[in-house]
């Protein structure tokens, strides 16, 4: 049978090599230089995954506070185009910095979630 695993009322095929069954999907098996499984990502070790996760969380918090500060400045000086321009620049830079926390080296294996 090409779909030997039954989950609920559905039958699923085996995952391709390099992937592990995860419910209804196949996930990349963490291996090679990124052999530690952090559930949502693979990393060199637990410390690297914790560091990446904390960087993402704190950059997100920083982006929210930066945007809130800019909004407060704009509200306090609604007629100032200088405040508006500086605020937009600050907000954009904060969002760019936030996005950089998600940029990591390309894994040697496709890390997308594949349907089974």
């Amino acid at each position: 049978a090409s779909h030997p695993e039954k989950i609920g009322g559905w039958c699923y095929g085996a995952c391709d090599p390099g992937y592990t069954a995860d419910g209804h999907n196949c996930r990349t098996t963490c291996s090679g230089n990124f052999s530690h499984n952090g559930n949502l990502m693979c990393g060199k070790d637990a410390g690297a995954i914790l560091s990446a996760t904390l960087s993402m969380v704190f950059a997100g918090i920083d982006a929210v506070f930066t945007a809130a500060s800019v909004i407060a400045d704009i509200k306090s000086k609604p007629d100032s185009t200088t405040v508006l321009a500086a605020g937009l620049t600050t907000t954009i830079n904060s969002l760019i910095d936030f996005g950089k926390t998600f940029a990591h080296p390309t894994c040697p294996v496709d890390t997308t979630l594949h349907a089974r």
Side-chain angles (χ1 to χ4, degrees):
S2 64
H3 296 82
E5 187 174 351
K6 187 169 185 176
I7 301 175
W10 297 90
C11 296
Y12 292 89
C15 294
D16 291 336
Y19 293 88
T20 305
D22 183 18
H24 303 289
N25 299 300
C26 295
R27 288 192 179 270
T28 300
T29 303
C30 296
S31 62
N33 290 333
F34 303 98
S35 60
H36 188 80
N37 184 351
N39 293 326
L40 298 176
M41 68 181 101
C42 298
K44 291 184 178 183
D45 54 44
I49 290 177
L50 177 62
S51 177
T53 302
L54 289 175
S55 291
M56 291 175 205
V57 168
F58 287 119
I61 291 169
D62 183 59
V64 168
F65 281 111
T66 298
S69 174
V70 167
I71 290 168
D73 285 347
I74 291 170
K75 282 185 173 182
S76 70
K77 301 172 187 159
D79 296 330
S80 174
T81 55
T82 303
V83 170
L84 178 61
L88 288 174
T89 300
T90 301
T91 302
I92 290 168
N93 287 334
S94 177
L95 293 172
I96 289 170
D97 289 342
F98 176 57
K100 287 178 182 177
T101 64
F102 291 90
H104 294 283
T106 303
C107 296
V109 178
D110 179 19
T111 59
T112 56
L113 189 66
H114 294 274
R116 292 176 66 186

